[in-house]
Amino acid sequence: MAGERTSANLADLLERILDKGIVIVGDVRVNLLDIELLTIKLRLLVASVDRAKEMGIDWWEHDPSLSSKARRDDAAGAGDRDELAAENRRLRERLAALEAGTAGTAADGADGGGERDAARPAPGKESTS
């Protein structure tokens, strides 16, 4: 009879912990002659998934190794990464051209205003039409 009561209390305790959540905090420090060699900070949160979501903790939903939805999202984002890499490459080429002293050619070709500049007469040679 005492064994049944203990298990019921343990189940109640576990239910209460998962419902409310519990935080366990600890620090481990290793010193040698008053010189701190290593510090480990431990933080442990025990709570149900629903309670964790209420607290704003949902990292497992965004981890590709734990969530198939996160894997799909990660694969879909690959195109965006390729586009960003191409833009980054173009910007680096423009910067290299500017640093090399070809600022006029690099700026004209890169911003799309090359046709407008080509149609404009050079300073001092304006047309009289």
Side-chain angles (χ1 to χ4, degrees):
M1 198 171 211
E4 291 175 16
R5 186 169 185 210
T6 305
S7 64
N9 287 341
L10 184 58
D12 290 340
L13 178 65
L14 184 58
E15 182 179 343
R16 185 176 290 166
I17 287 174
L18 291 176
D19 184 45
K20 302 281 185 193
I22 185 172
V23 177
I24 301 170
V25 178
D27 294 339
V28 176
R29 291 186 181 157
V30 178
N31 294 335
L32 179 65
L33 300 173
D34 291 333
I35 299 172
E36 190 171 317
L37 298 176
L38 178 67
T39 299
I40 301 173
K41 295 185 179 235
L42 304 171
R43 307 294 183 259
L44 175 66
L45 169 69
V46 179
S48 67
V49 171
D50 294 332
R51 182 68 179 145
K53 284 184 178 181
E54 287 174 16
M55 295 169 24
I57 301 170
D58 61 352
W59 54 265
W60 59 88
E61 292 181 350
H62 308 288
D63 188 338
S65 63
L66 299 174
S67 167
S68 59
K69 182 180 180 294
R71 277 192 293 273
R72 284 193 305 271
D73 293 346
D74 196 36
D80 293 339
R81 283 192 300 272
D82 292 342
E83 187 177 316
L84 286 173
E87 182 181 9
N88 191 358
R89 180 183 43 75
R90 287 191 304 270
L91 290 171
R92 286 179 187 272
E93 289 170 357
R94 276 183 65 190
L95 180 62
L98 288 169
E99 288 176 345
T102 57
T105 344
D108 291 346
D111 67 1
E115 294 94 25
R116 287 190 310 257
D117 291 340
R120 205 177 301 148
K125 298 182 181 179
E126 283 124 20
S127 64
T128 56
S129 48

